[in-house]
């Protein structure tokens, strides 16, 4: 073994959901949106001036930042953008989680949090969800170097009311509290309206779910100007040009299309509510979802068996072999037609097992 091998940063990477390379799959495993991006973004792509690719993009990403600030009635110095919310959260971990105290996040949550903590050598402690997978605000009332939780939580889909989110922020004003709102548009109330009240709150959202643009990689954070400046200082110390020209143009146009955004979100919510009824009829139970996925367990058939059987039929859902959740499947809400195929397959699998 060479000496340099001792100095390699050793990490156990996050494992993203499978992106199958075969045709004709029903892909309900990574919480993507089944509907296309806004026609305004598509139109912008048709008129895109390719000569602009010769030049570096605007390092301040002003076009996109301003479109987001307008949508949320914020000042542009209250918005930070990154390459998907994964990039925004990683940057925020680097910027804000530098205390000696452990940061806190739920024991069942987005599994990337512990990976970033390990990567950046941030100590962390997991706080327990209750039996029904609810976040317990009081569990965060311990000395900590920062807090992050998704709302709705992933992969559980459980939403925490804004009053309880505020309780966590209010009781931890010496720490930065990050609310990861990747799924908030599917029925929750965003904490962004609290950012002028609490200077320790950072709200993080993404274009990947409710805005049908996972492939474009756009995420953003909203917080008071001091937090956003700190994030930008770290970004400009690391990589000034995170946002490419196409993200700026398509992303700003998509953000202006409120009508289309609402239409897609409403369709997904309607399909989700129907799916809940069908799952119940088949003997599944699930926490009440306010996300674009359902976290379901069958009364008799093991999740691992259903997962494999669905895969044989080219239907991909997500299965996590982890404590507390290894008998659950996380099923992304697709189109009505995709869900019909899923239920056809589930009926067959359940009656054969
Ligand atoms: N937060 C949560 C809770 C997620 O489930 C995801 C999607 N894997 C992300 C953040 C990151 O999404 P993106 O980088 O596509 O914005």
């Amino acid at each position: 073994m060479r000496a340099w091998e001792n100095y390699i940063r050793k990490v156990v990477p996050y494992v993203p959901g499978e992106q199958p390379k075969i045709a004709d799959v029903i892909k309900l495993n990574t919480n993507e949106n089944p509907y296309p991006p806004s026609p305004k973004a598509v139109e912008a792509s048709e008129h895109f001036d390719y000569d602009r690719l010769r030049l570096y993009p605007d390092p301040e990403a002003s076009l996109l930042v301003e479109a987001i600030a307008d949508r949320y009635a914020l000042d542009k110095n209250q918005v930070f953008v990154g390459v998907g919310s994964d990039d925004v959260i990683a940057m925020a971990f680097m910027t804000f989680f530098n205390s000696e105290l452990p940061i806190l996040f739920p024991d069942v949550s987005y599994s990337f949090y512990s990976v970033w903590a390990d990567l950046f050598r941030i100590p962390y402690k997991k706080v327990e969800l209750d039996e029904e997978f609810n976040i317990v605000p009081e569990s965060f009332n311990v000395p900590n170097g920062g807090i992050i939780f998704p709302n709705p939580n992933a992969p559980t889909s459980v939403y925490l009311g804004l009053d309880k989110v505020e309780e966590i922020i209010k009781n931890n004003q010496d720490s930065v509290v990050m609310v990861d709102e990747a799924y908030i548009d599917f029925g929750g109330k965003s904490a962004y309206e609290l950012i002028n009240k609490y200077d320790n709150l950072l709200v993080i959202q993404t274009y990947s779910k409710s805005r049908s643009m996972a492939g474009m990689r756009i995420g953003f954070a909203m917080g008071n100007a001091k937090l956003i400046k700190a994030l930008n200082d770290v970004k400009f110390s690391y990589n000034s040009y995170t946002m490419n020209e196409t993200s700026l143009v398509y992303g700003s146009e998509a953000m202006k299309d409120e009508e289309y955004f609402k239409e897609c979100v409403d369709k997904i919510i309607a399909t989700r509510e129907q799916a809940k009824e069908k799952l119940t009829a088949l003997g599944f139970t699930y926490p009440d979802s306010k996300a674009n996925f359902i976290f379901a367990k069958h009364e008799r058939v093991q999740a691992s068996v259903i997962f494999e059987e669905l895969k044989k039929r080219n239907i991909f859902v997500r299965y996590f072999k982890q404590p507390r959740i290894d008998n659950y499947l996380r099923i992304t809400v697709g189109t009505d037609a995709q869900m019909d195929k899923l239920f056809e397959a589930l009926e067959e699998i359940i009656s054969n097992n």
Side-chain angles (χ1 to χ4, degrees):
M1 189 155 142
R2 297 283 181 197
W4 57 261
E5 292 185 56
N6 292 317
Y7 305 114
I8 291 176
R9 192 176 282 257
K10 289 167 193 76
V11 282
V12 181
Y14 169 75
V15 183
E18 203 174 336
Q19 295 291 349
K21 305 254 175 340
I22 42 176
D24 291 333
V25 300
I26 295 185
K27 199 172 171 303
L28 306 174
N29 68 336
T30 49
N31 299 341
E32 288 140 331
N33 195 311
Y35 300 110
S38 152
K40 286 200 176 175
V42 177
E43 200 180 310
S45 75
E46 281 157 9
H47 299 118
F48 187 76
D49 175 9
Y50 283 90
D51 191 51
R52 289 165 83 155
L53 297 184
R54 278 189 310 105
L55 309 173
Y56 284 106
D58 170 14
E60 283 160 6
S62 305
L63 199 62
L64 184 60
V65 165
E66 277 163 25
I68 296 168
D70 280 354
R71 162 64 172 78
Y72 292 92
L74 297 170
D75 196 276
K76 61 182 191 313
N77 64 12
Q78 295 177 303
V79 175
F80 174 83
V81 293
V83 188
S85 52
D86 281 343
D87 179 50
V88 175
I89 300 169
M91 208 68 83
F93 269 49
M94 245 198 285
T95 310
F96 301 115
F97 292 164
N98 294 295
S99 140
E100 309 271 281
L101 291 171
I103 62 162
L104 307 176
F105 47 82
D107 60 341
V108 180
S109 194
Y110 187 30
S111 51
F112 221 143
Y113 299 154
S114 57
V115 176
W116 285 311
D118 287 337
L119 177 66
F120 301 132
R121 297 174 181 157
I122 300 164
Y124 64 88
K125 225 161 64 193
K126 296 183 180 181
V127 300
E128 265 187 45
L129 300 180
D130 74 10
E131 284 302 307
E132 274 85 50
F133 294 136
N134 294 300
I135 287 178
V136 182
E138 303 82 59
S139 64
F140 291 97
N141 296 348
V142 291
N144 65 74
I147 291 171
I148 183 162
F149 58 91
N151 194 31
N153 197 3
T156 64
S157 78
V158 177
Y159 168 67
L160 184 69
L162 196 53
D163 51 335
K164 295 201 171 145
V165 171
E166 181 165 2
E167 200 180 313
I168 297 171
I169 304 161
K170 197 172 169 183
N171 289 334
N172 287 279
Q173 294 192 53
D174 287 329
S175 302
V176 172
V177 177
M178 299 182 197
V179 188
D180 175 356
E181 294 189 338
Y183 304 102
I184 196 71
D185 295 324
F186 301 103
K189 201 160 190 291
S190 172
Y192 89 91
E193 57 185 60
L194 299 175
I195 67 177
N196 289 321
K197 193 165 169 192
Y198 297 99
D199 62 5
N200 61 322
L201 167 64
L202 193 72
V203 176
I204 297 150
Q205 295 196 5
T206 177
Y207 274 56
S208 300
K209 320 292 179 185
S210 55
R211 298 183 190 277
S212 303
M213 288 172 79
M216 196 82 238
R217 312 303 301 127
I218 304 174
F220 53 101
M222 301 177 277
N224 82 84
K226 215 176 189 178
L227 294 181
I228 299 304
K229 179 179 183 311
L231 271 171
N232 272 311
D233 285 348
V234 169
K235 180 197 121 164
F236 280 98
S237 310
Y238 189 74
N239 175 6
S240 316
Y241 302 108
T242 52
M243 308 308 289
N244 66 56
E245 191 66 27
T246 49
S247 317
L248 301 182
V249 176
Y250 306 172
S252 59
E253 284 307 303
M255 188 49 82
K256 292 176 200 156
D257 199 348
E258 193 65 23
E259 203 179 313
Y260 182 80
F261 159 76
K262 262 217 104 249
E263 186 188 314
C264 289
V265 163
D266 287 348
K267 278 199 281 193
I268 290 167
I269 293 173
T271 307
R272 177 188 71 204
E273 294 309 308
Q274 278 177 5
K276 286 179 185 171
E277 286 173 22
K278 291 182 188 161
L279 284 168
T280 305
L282 282 174
F284 284 91
T285 51
Y286 44 83
D288 189 34
S289 168
K290 288 271 183 288
N292 67 336
F293 58 89
I294 300 173
F295 197 52
K297 164 174 121 175
H298 193 259
E299 60 194 2
R300 189 172 45 78
V301 189
Q302 287 290 312
S304 53
V305 172
I306 304 174
F307 173 77
E308 290 300 337
E309 286 297 320
L310 284 173
K311 203 165 167 175
K312 282 185 201 158
R313 293 162 174 82
N314 277 356
I315 300 175
F316 286 71
V317 297
R318 193 93 196 255
Y319 171 65
F320 299 92
K321 204 167 172 32
Q322 280 171 21
R324 286 190 81 172
I325 59 169
D326 62 359
N327 202 20
Y328 283 84
L329 294 171
R330 193 195 67 185
I331 306 167
T332 305
V333 176
T335 61
D336 286 333
Q338 289 176 319
M339 298 309 270
D340 286 348
K341 293 219 169 102
L342 168 76
F343 283 108
E344 224 172 84
L346 284 176
E347 267 170 40
E348 193 184 288
I349 295 164
I350 291 197
S351 60
N352 290 347
N353 278 276

